[in-house]
């Protein structure tokens, strides 16, 4: 049986992005909001967010208790729920997503762009992040030097990382060189773990430095090419299903 989600009407309207608390109260006072066919007179009335049919100006609102967003994270923005000083990925979304408990599933560095899932489903987030599930992540990287077959083999064998941030044996990773040059090269890499600066440190272990990094894919979920950096959309049910199933299968 569907769980009841009782809350104040004005809170629900705010969560659904219909306006600020003051604006939605004004809409209620103006008689624009109906609940189950009756004009609402009090923003403080209790409604069932799942079961009540709430309309604004005759338009029915849809309340989904779980939200999943695909964001093309731009450079220069922190992957965090909030930060006192710097802009975070949550600042790129309407406030209702934070109000509904959405959080970034995993982390991209401030200077990395690309696919980030933001979800209110903690279990899905955990599955995307948890190394136990080994969900593959594909990145495109530009580096400041040459790449060659020996690098492909070293990535595949599993690199030993030892740098100022610590020491670990990286799991085998799939490297595909797209363009190789003495000054600059480009490649795609698929990794199944997400340690601190993982991809940058793997390339550094091979003597080159990442100058641009973009995440293209998480498991079966590819970044929508229609999303420019900073743009986002809700994930389709099909995308959520594929990601959930893959996480389940892993
Ligand atoms: N690896 C990195 O080095 N940085 C990221 O943002 C993601 C993976």
């Amino acid at each position: 049986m569907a769980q009841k989600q009782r809350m104040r009407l004005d809170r629900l309207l705010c969560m659904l992005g219909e306006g600020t608390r003051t604006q939605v109260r004004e809409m209620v006072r103006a008689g624009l909001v109906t609940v189950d066919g009756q004009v609402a007179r009090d923003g403080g009335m209790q409604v069932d967010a799942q079961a009540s049919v709430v309309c604004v100006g005759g338009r029915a609102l849809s309340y989904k208790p779980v939200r999943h967003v695909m964001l093309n994270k731009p450079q220069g923005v922190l992957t965090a729920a909030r930060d006192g000083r710097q802009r975070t990925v949550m600042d790129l979304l309407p406030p209702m997503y934070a109000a509904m408990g959405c959080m970034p599933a995993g982390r991209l560095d401030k200077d990395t762009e690309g696919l980030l899932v933001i979800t209110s489903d903690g279990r899905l987030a955990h599955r995307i992040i948890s190394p136990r599930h080994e969900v593959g992540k594909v990145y495109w990287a530009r580096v400041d030097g040459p790449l060659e077959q020996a690098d492909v083999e070293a990535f595949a064998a599993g690199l030993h990382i030892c740098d100022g941030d610590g020491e670990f044996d990286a799991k085998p990773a799939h490297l595909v060189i797209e363009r190789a040059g003495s000054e600059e090269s480009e490649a795609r890499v698929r990794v199944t773990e997400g340690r601190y600066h993982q991809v940058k440190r793997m390339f550094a272990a091979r003597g080159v430095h990442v100058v641009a990094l973009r995440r293209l894919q998480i498991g079966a979920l590819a970044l929508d090419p229609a999303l420019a950096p900073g743009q986002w959309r809700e994930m389709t049910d099909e995308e959520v299903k594929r990601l959930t199933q893959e996480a389940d299968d892993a």
Side-chain angles (χ1 to χ4, degrees), residues 52-144:
S52 308
V53 179
V54 178
C55 299
V56 174
R59 170 175 52 90
L61 305 182
S62 133
Y63 175 80
K64 282 200 277 174
V66 180
R67 298 273 174 161
H68 311 280
V69 165
M70 168 192 292
L71 169 72
N72 186 353
K73 178 194 169 296
Q75 292 182 351
V77 174
L78 282 190
T79 307
R82 69 182 78 84
D83 187 88
R85 284 173 305 141
Q86 300 191 59
R87 212 152 64 107
T88 76
V89 290
M90 296 308 295
D91 295 326
L92 301 173
L93 306 180
M96 78 157 185
Y97 288 97
M100 294 179 102
C102 286
M103 307 265 260
R107 190 177 285 269
L108 291 176
D109 296 337
K110 190 174 170 186
D111 59 357
T112 300
E113 62 179 35
L115 177 59
L116 188 70
V117 170
I118 296 177
T119 177
S120 60
D121 181 347
R123 286 184 60 209
L124 178 64
H126 176 73
R127 287 166 175 170
I128 292 173
I129 300 164
S130 162
R132 197 164 62 82
H133 294 290
E134 295 203 342
V135 174
K137 282 115 188 162
V138 179
Y139 295 85
W140 170 89
R142 179 179 295 136
V143 298
D144 66 354

Side-chain angles (χ1 to χ4, degrees), residues 107-109 112 139 195-201 213:
R107 190 177 285 269
L108 291 176
D109 296 337
T112 300
Y139 295 85
R195 289 173 187 260
Y196 180 64
H197 294 335
Q198 171 105 21
V199 173
K200 292 174 185 166
R201 292 166 77 189
L213 189 62

